[in-house]
Amino acid sequence: MVRNMRILCDFHLHSCLSPCGDLAMSPRTIAGELAKKGVVLAALTDHNTALNCPAFAEACKQAGITPLFGMEAQSQEEIHMLCLFSSLETALLFSNEIYNLLPPILNDPDKTGDQVYVDEEENIIGEVEKYLITSADIPIDELAARVHSLGGLAIPAHADRSAFSLTSQFGMITDGDWDAIELVRIPADITQDTLHRYPLTTSSDAHYIEHIARRPFELDMQNLPLMNTDGTVNIESIRSALRRRLF
């Protein structure tokens, strides 16, 4: 249990399972790099799948990292959202739901990249058939609602980017049931009115080893417990700590 601490976090990391990710990005490698850079709490967020999260769970245990599990889901509107859970089983359940909502477009590794998931020893144990960088058949608001119904966190990703974001698709950061808004960079002159009083985060969006923990953010846990008694992350503590990041 961590108390009276500021912890370094990275909620946006891709492994070798994402077709745009480097094959060197195994969960074990990611966890090791996070530990070297002082990250305490981290989430594996491959595109539309959580199948490398079991290996990530074991890798984090070995590296002393506290893990969250989930994905960077792509909504009907082609908006990316970080969907984060404390329970590995819940993340895998959600992963299966999202996979079933993807169109039947098969991946071509020679053209779009490999989509492999591995065990904790970095052995390839399978390859995802559907191409993962497509839109699930679910609107962004319903996506957030489903994440919350499963006890997770819903954070629109890289909202200031010119593609796959709230601003690229809607022209602005729209109101929604978001736990935070991820930006690539938080401007020095940001005003909270601009962002409807959502907490702001940054994260690495790492696809390559050298990008891991390049834009981490701090959470002030104060007296909140980071962990539950069953060893999972206390999501409500994280939600409360995120609210302290109002600018």
Side-chain angles (χ1 to χ4, degrees), residues 15-84:
S15 75
C16 51
L17 181 50
S18 291
C20 49
D22 193 329
L23 279 175
M25 289 284 280
S26 70
R28 185 165 70 176
T29 295
I30 293 169
E33 289 297 312
L34 289 167
K36 289 178 188 176
K37 295 177 179 179
V39 172
V40 172
L41 178 64
L44 188 63
T45 54
D46 283 305
H47 289 287
N48 286 323
T49 183
L51 286 178
N52 254 350
C53 284
F56 186 64
E58 183 60 33
C60 286
K61 185 187 303 182
Q62 297 299 320
I65 302 295
T66 302
L68 287 168
F69 311 108
M71 67 176 66
E72 182 178 26
Q74 184 170 315
S75 72
Q76 262 180 7
E77 303 91 343
E78 297 189 347
I79 297 169
H80 288 179
M81 188 165 72
L82 304 178
C83 307
L84 311 178

Side-chain angles (χ1 to χ4, degrees), residues 98-118:
I98 293 298
Y99 190 77
N100 289 332
L101 294 173
L102 297 179
I105 300 171
L106 298 181
N107 186 49
D108 184 342
D110 292 332
K111 293 181 178 178
T112 52
D114 295 295
Q115 298 183 156
V116 297
Y117 51 103
V118 299

